[in-house]
Every structure is written in structure tokens, then in C-alpha cells.
Amino acid sequence: MGDKANTHPGAAGRATAADHPASVRNVVLVGHSGSGKTTLVEALALTAGAVNRAGRVEDGTAVSDYDEIEHRQQRSVQLSLVPVAWDGYKINILDTPGYADFVGELRAGLRAADAALFVVSASDGVDGSTRMVWDECAAVGMPRAIVVTHLESARADFDAMTRICAEAFGADDPDAVLPLYLPLHGESGPDGHAPVTGLIGLLSQRLFDYSSGEREEAEPVDGQLPLIAEARNRLIEGIIAESEDETLMDRYLGGEEIDFKTLVQDLERAVARGAFFPVLAAAPAAEGARQGLGTVELLELVTGGFPTPLERAAPTVTTPDGAAREVRACDPDGPLVAEVVKTASDPYVGRVSLVRVFSGTLRPDETVHVSGHGLTDRGHEDHDVDERVGALSAPFGKQQRALTHCIAGDLACVAKLNRAETGDTLSAKDDPLLMEPWQMPDPLLPLAIQAHSKADEDKLSQGLGRLVAEDPTMRLEQNQHTHQVVLWCLGEAHADVALERLRSRYGVQVDVVPHKVSLRETFAARSAGRGRHVKQSGGHGQYAICEIEVEPLPNGSGIEFVDKVVGGAVPRQFIPSVEKGVRAQAARGVAAGHPLIDVRITLLDGKAHSVDSSDAAFQTAGALALREAAAEARIHLLEPVAEVTVMVGDDYVGAVMSDLSGRRGRVVGTEQTSGGRTLVRAEVPEMEIGRYAVDLRSLSHGTARFQRSYARHEPMPPQIAERMREQTREAS
């Protein structure tokens, strides 16, 4: 690294279709909000020649600021693709959101990329969420590098930040996280801060000065090489060790000087193995400058140090009916296997799908098969249809450059796939295939909504359908018990974006209402009731009398109906009518309007009339009997209780357990796990964890994750139950 010329005539600019997987690099940028990812993408595009200068696209179209090429506000909450060309390679740069609420977009970026560039701010450090993403990448062996930004900050300290990264990302082996370059500082200003003006390559032992706005290479001045000797030796030892080149290590330890080309080859091998993680530095270009500090070095690392799509293992593929199917890794001539990693709606061209091709070649206007696992619990259906592919394009902000094809290893935007959703597989129509899905985060923040007006009500269903089609991390629920429409989101920012998209994209205005949990009722003790429905008003009357007994049953028993009538007091044909009436009343509730559960209702006796008795009369009598039994008994109001598991760092275990107790929760156990983390298990009333996704993130500084599942309904504390009944009476 660092031995290439600082310009690449004819090889830089905006990328078109790639012709071979070896010339493609797919890299995803990861980092917390404010770390400088989007600014770095812009700086890389400027250095690569995809734009002439900040504020102008390549063809000279003027915009007020480069950020307008891809709306910064949108890019902050969604995955975006910026393809550029550098030194004969096509680099697909995937910029991911830094907000924890949009981890689904991050997972999509990880799925589409072959390597990750972790962006950390020299003034802010490494947050817990970034560490968790690092662990996700480590679990699948994804190659990674680290770039330190915000070097212009007065608090920036590259050496200290490198040590922090080694502690955060190299816990098992700190020598696997080492800098490739050291910053060069200019003269100190009035505040004593010396700006970073260039870099010195530890392997090449060359200086790269950016102070003029162009990268200029020079020899080190006297006295500089001894200052980097220790860092250089440590870097060389780390590279050789992580590349597992034992013969080279013996030669190095024997005092032999290793040539630069061999060191670069070992560096590439170690990075591609996911065993060595180089640290670089970058800063945006100054006003009027053409290259930002460190951007050339980053582009060289991506093209020379990151793996090609050919080095990525072939995905697990089956036929739609589940039969295993073997597919060669990244073969442009193989069967078509592509995946929709993102779905968006464009006001002019309709639905646009970002697609990663893993095998075969995708071409415009061909018919493909769309297969999808579906997420029925989130409002997504299984897919098994044929669709005609629209135009293929490479996005660049508001513009789309048409592509003639998209080979295995490359990414493209596909227009007019009206049925395909995020996570779906595209394959040949005569050879349908299905890729193994990636893990989606579970949305745990409920947002209850209702249409603002009658006009909005007519458009709500279609708008919600399109919304969840774009975002598989969102779950749509139409609760039959509370009669609410609920969008389950990942956090408050996720919910805000969903509401804004409903309004601006689909013209649907909604109101947010308090979320209700599904309460139940049950009898606290045995009780009896008599239902008498006798009416005479000329012609056929109505006559039905029944006597019942109600007793509580264990949790989860439901409603049990028992017939103990003797002597034909209630004719056999009307006993099902009594049961139907009882069950209908139980569904409506007997005290506060919530469904009745876990009781045995026994029909003991009754009376009938040879002319006036009917099915409807005995249904009514059964309902009246149950209401009378409830009036004479103590009724428990039951609330749903969830099993909650929280994975949290050891530093926050006490705070999490205390918080759960404050939510009327019962901690049922803890379990120590690897990486200094603890799994806390608890049972918590669902009424108390409606906003737990938000509160836990604040409590743990974004380092904890939780899961919840329904456990059972159990009696609510008397004072809370009375308050709920009072609210029901006021509402009615």
C-alpha cells in the first residue's frame, strides 16, 4: 500500500457494469451516527473522480451542496449505494445508518458486502452498538478495517484512538489491530492544535502530503524514520503472524529485510482471512481541494486488501420446496441467484429494488422467478411468482446510470419488481431457487395508529402494505382483541420515519393512540347463575331458562362447557344453543369488556316451552346466566405476562435488574456468557414494557438487546385492576 501513483487517469470516476467478479469490491461502511460515514463516502467519490468537486456531479449538474446528490436526511436512516471506479476496479460503497433503530438497513448492507469498513470518530471513540456489529462480523469471518475520522477536532488523538480500537476490537489479540499509516502534523495554531496535513506509510516508509489539496509523495526527512521504527516493526510482525506465513516469520526474526511487495501480499492475505484489521485515517477535502486526506490510501486498501466476491463462500440455496441445491461461488455463467437487499419507492419510477447477484448474470427485460420465505407475523406473504425485470441501473444520488447487465458479485438497482420484497430471491423462471434468509431484528416497540379521516381510512391498508414491503424489520398487527392497528418498530426514530413515509409517500395521515394490551377476565371462585328469557308479544313468544355453575380452571385451560342436564329439562337440540350463547358472552366479557378465559361452565338445569323455545332464546338465556353468575362473583382482571431475556454487559447488569423489578418484573435467573456479558431472564407484565426497547437502550448506552415472548395471563394487582375498570367505565 502506498506505492501507487496519486492519480489514475482513465480509471477513476463513476462505475458502470463490471465484466468480471475479480474487478468488483463490495464494502459496507459501519459506524455510529455522527462518526462521519456519509462525509467519508462523499470524500471517496470526490477522490475517485465520480464528482469534479464538492457540489458538482460529473456531468456538471450544479447542486447547492454534494449532500443534495443523495438527501442527507434520507441517507441517515437508510442503506444507500454509491458505486465508483478506481484503478480499473468497480467499488460498491454501501453507506449504512448509524442509528440503532435502523439496524435492519445495516444487516442488509452486511449481507450485500464482502468486507466492512468501521468508521470511528477521533473525538467520540467507539460506542457499544459499534462493538456489537463488530462481533456480528467476527461471527461470520467478514474482513474488516478501521478508519479514524474527525482528525480536525481539537480533541483528536490518532494514537489514543488506535489504542482504543485495539482494546475494543482486538480483545483476543491486540496486535491484530494496528495502524498502516501515522499522521503528519502541520504547525500549531493559536489554540495549540496542530492540524493533520499528511500521512507516513509504515510499510512503504514514504510521506504523503495532502496540505496542497493534492496527494504529493515525498521521502521522509531526517529524523522521521527512527520515530516510526517501533510502530513499523510491530506492524510487520502483526501482519506476518496473522497471515500465517511461518517461513517469512523465521526470515524476519532472523534479521532479514522483507521487501515491500511481499509485505503487501501478506497484508492482503491477513485482511482477507478476517484475521488482521488495519487502522487508517481520513479527512474530507478542504474547500477547492480535489482529494481528502487518506482517501487514496483507503481506496488502495479496498482494491488491494479487501477480498473479491470470488472469495466469498457460495450462499446456501434450495429449491422452493426445500431440496438442497449446490451453486458455485460467484459464477457469472452459473444459474441465476440474486437477492433483494433493499426495497424503496420512487415517486417517478415506482418500486426500486437493490439487488446483489451471487450467481449468474441478471439482465434487463428478462423474466425471473421471485421466491420469498415470507414473514407472515410481520405482514409479509410468501412469494412464488414470475416477474419481468425492468431497467437495471447504478445509482448516483438522484441520477441512475443504465446498466446492460449485472454479473455475479455486483450490485444493481432493478426497477418495477412489483411483487419482490426485501429478502426475496431472484432466479431463472425455469429453475426457481431460494436463498437462506438473513436474520432480521425483532421489532419490539408498538405504535398504535388510526386513520385521521375517512379519506385516510380508505388509503390506510394500501399504504401500510407498501410500508412493510419496504421494511421487513417492521411488523404490522391488526389486533382482534383490542381492535387496534399496531406497527411494531425498532425504536422511536424508526416509528417517526414510518409515520413520515406514510404521510409523504403514500398520502396517508394517521393519529397515534395509546397502545392497549390484551386483557382477560376470569372467575376468582365458584359461582352460579340463572338465565331467564321469557317474552310474549303475540304470535310466537320466546321462552328459555337455564341454570349454570361456573368454576375457575388452571391457567391456559380456556373455556370448558359441560352438560349435566338430567331428565330432558333442556331439550337436547337446545344444549348447543346454550353453549353458543355462553361462549359469545364470554368473548364479550362479563365485567370490564375483556374476554373471559380459564373457567368451566356447567349446565345444570333449565326449562323449555314446546312452542316458544328456540335456538335464539336459549342463546340469550345462556348469556344472561353467565352475566348473573359474574355479578355474584369476584372477577379477576388478567394481564399478559411476557418472558423477557436481556443480553447486557456486566457493567449494566445491576441497573437492568433493578429496572425490571421496578416494572413489577420477577428476575428468574441470570447466566454468564462470553465477552463480559450476562443473560438476564425475567417475567414482566406487558403493560410495563411497552417502551422497554427505548428505555433499555438509554439504560445500557445502546449495549443491551432483549427478546420477549408471551408467557401467560395472570391476575393484575387489585389497585391497578380497579384503575383499569375505572378507565373502562369513563370510556363507555
Side-chain angles (χ1 to χ4, degrees), residues 132-452:
M132 295 179 73
V133 178
W134 182 275
D135 292 340
E136 284 192 37
C137 292
V140 297
M142 175 173 278
R144 283 148 282 163
I146 302 156
V147 56
V148 178
T149 59
H150 294 165
L151 296 173
E152 70 281 1
S153 169
R155 296 185 291 120
D157 187 332
F158 180 81
D159 293 336
M161 195 66 237
T162 301
R163 290 192 295 271
I164 291 172
C165 289
E167 294 171 1
F169 302 138
D172 297 330
D173 185 4
D175 286 335
V177 182
L178 295 170
L180 285 183
Y181 301 86
L182 294 181
L184 289 173
H185 294 272
E187 296 183 3
S188 299
D191 58 356
H193 175 62
V196 178
T197 58
L199 301 170
I200 183 166
L202 293 180
L203 294 183
S204 63
Q205 301 186 91
R206 302 283 293 172
L207 299 184
F208 306 101
D209 186 1
Y210 283 85
S211 59
S212 67
E214 298 279 346
R215 182 177 185 259
E216 298 177 356
E217 186 175 341
E219 293 281 350
V221 299
D222 292 341
Q224 284 184 321
L225 289 183
L227 296 177
I228 69 169
E230 181 180 350
R232 184 174 190 270
N233 290 336
R234 189 181 177 197
L235 173 64
I236 292 174
E237 291 176 12
I239 290 173
I240 296 175
E242 299 302 340
S243 68
E244 297 185 344
D245 192 337
E246 296 181 4
T247 59
L248 189 62
M249 179 62 79
D250 292 339
R251 289 163 52 194
Y252 176 74
L253 295 177
E256 180 180 338
E257 182 68 25
I258 309 301
D259 67 277
F260 177 79
K261 183 177 180 180
T262 301
L263 289 174
V264 170
Q265 290 173 344
D266 265 36
L267 170 64
E268 294 170 356
R269 188 180 302 113
V271 172
R273 287 181 58 245
F276 185 76
F277 316 106
V279 182
L280 298 91
E287 183 69 29
R290 199 174 68 83
Q291 293 177 333
L293 184 143
T295 52
V296 171
E297 288 74 15
L298 271 174
L299 290 167
E300 288 180 352
L301 175 67
V302 169
T303 55
F306 280 174
T308 73
L310 293 166
E311 298 172 69
R312 181 169 181 171
T316 301
V317 176
T318 66
T319 61
D321 58 6
R325 177 71 180 275
E326 188 172 341
V327 175
R328 286 176 51 191
C330 205
D331 180 6
D333 297 321
L336 178 63
V337 180
E339 185 173 43
V340 179
V341 294
K342 178 178 173 58
T343 309
S345 294
D346 186 279
Y348 302 106
V349 299
R351 184 176 293 185
V352 178
S353 304
L354 177 60
V355 172
R356 162 76 190 252
V357 181
F358 289 91
S359 174
T361 300
L362 184 66
R363 292 182 172 83
D365 298 323
E366 69 177 341
T367 300
V368 299
H369 188 79
V370 178
S371 302
H373 297 272
L375 294 166
T376 53
D377 64 321
R378 301 190 186 187
H380 299 260
E381 61 180 349
D382 285 335
H383 291 150
D384 192 15
V385 297
D386 290 340
E387 276 205 273
R388 188 178 181 84
V389 173
L392 301 185
S393 60
F396 194 78
K398 297 177 182 178
Q399 301 179 359
Q400 300 284 331
R401 173 173 287 186
L403 298 178
T404 58
H405 61 278
C406 182
I407 63 168
D410 203 358
L411 290 95
C413 286
V414 182
K416 298 180 180 179
L417 286 177
N418 296 321
R419 293 293 301 278
E421 298 181 359
T422 302
D424 284 354
T425 303
L426 308 183
S427 56
K429 66 175 182 177
D430 55 352
D431 186 15
L433 299 171
L434 184 61
M435 285 183 61
E436 183 179 42
W438 77 81
Q439 184 181 5
M440 296 288 186
D442 194 14
L444 296 169
L445 180 68
L447 182 72
I449 59 174
Q450 63 184 23
H452 182 71

Side-chain angles (χ1 to χ4, degrees), residues 628-693:
E628 182 176 293
E632 300 298 324
R634 185 160 55 94
I635 303 298
H636 278 321
L637 197 58
L638 306 179
E639 61 179 336
V641 175
E643 290 182 355
V644 175
T645 57
V646 185
M647 181 67 75
V648 61
D650 292 343
D651 293 343
Y652 300 104
V653 171
V656 166
M657 293 175 66
S658 176
D659 179 72
L660 289 171
S661 297
R663 298 173 184 270
R664 298 191 285 125
R666 296 183 295 272
V667 176
V668 297
T670 60
E671 179 183 331
Q672 198 71 30
T673 64
S674 61
R677 301 174 71 78
T678 298
L679 184 68
V680 180
R681 291 187 173 88
E683 294 180 344
V684 191
E686 290 190 7
M687 288 180 61
E688 305 291 342
I689 55 173
R691 288 181 50 82
Y692 194 55

Side-chain angles (χ1 to χ4, degrees), residues 71 335 344 382 385 394 415 454 476 485 503 505 545 560 562 576 578 602 612 642:
H71 299 295
D382 285 335
V385 297
K454 181 62 171 67
L476 176 62
V485 175
R503 184 193 64 79
R505 290 187 183 180
I545 298 175
E560 183 180 330
V562 179
V578 176
T602 304
D612 293 339

Side-chain angles (χ1 to χ4, degrees), residues 470-491:
E470 291 184 16
D471 188 354
T473 64
M474 189 173 293
R475 176 159 59 91
L476 176 62
E477 174 194 9
Q478 300 199 27
N479 194 300
Q480 60 180 339
H481 299 297
T482 63
H483 307 293
Q484 285 189 316
V485 175
V486 183
L487 279 176
W488 288 84
C489 305
L490 294 173

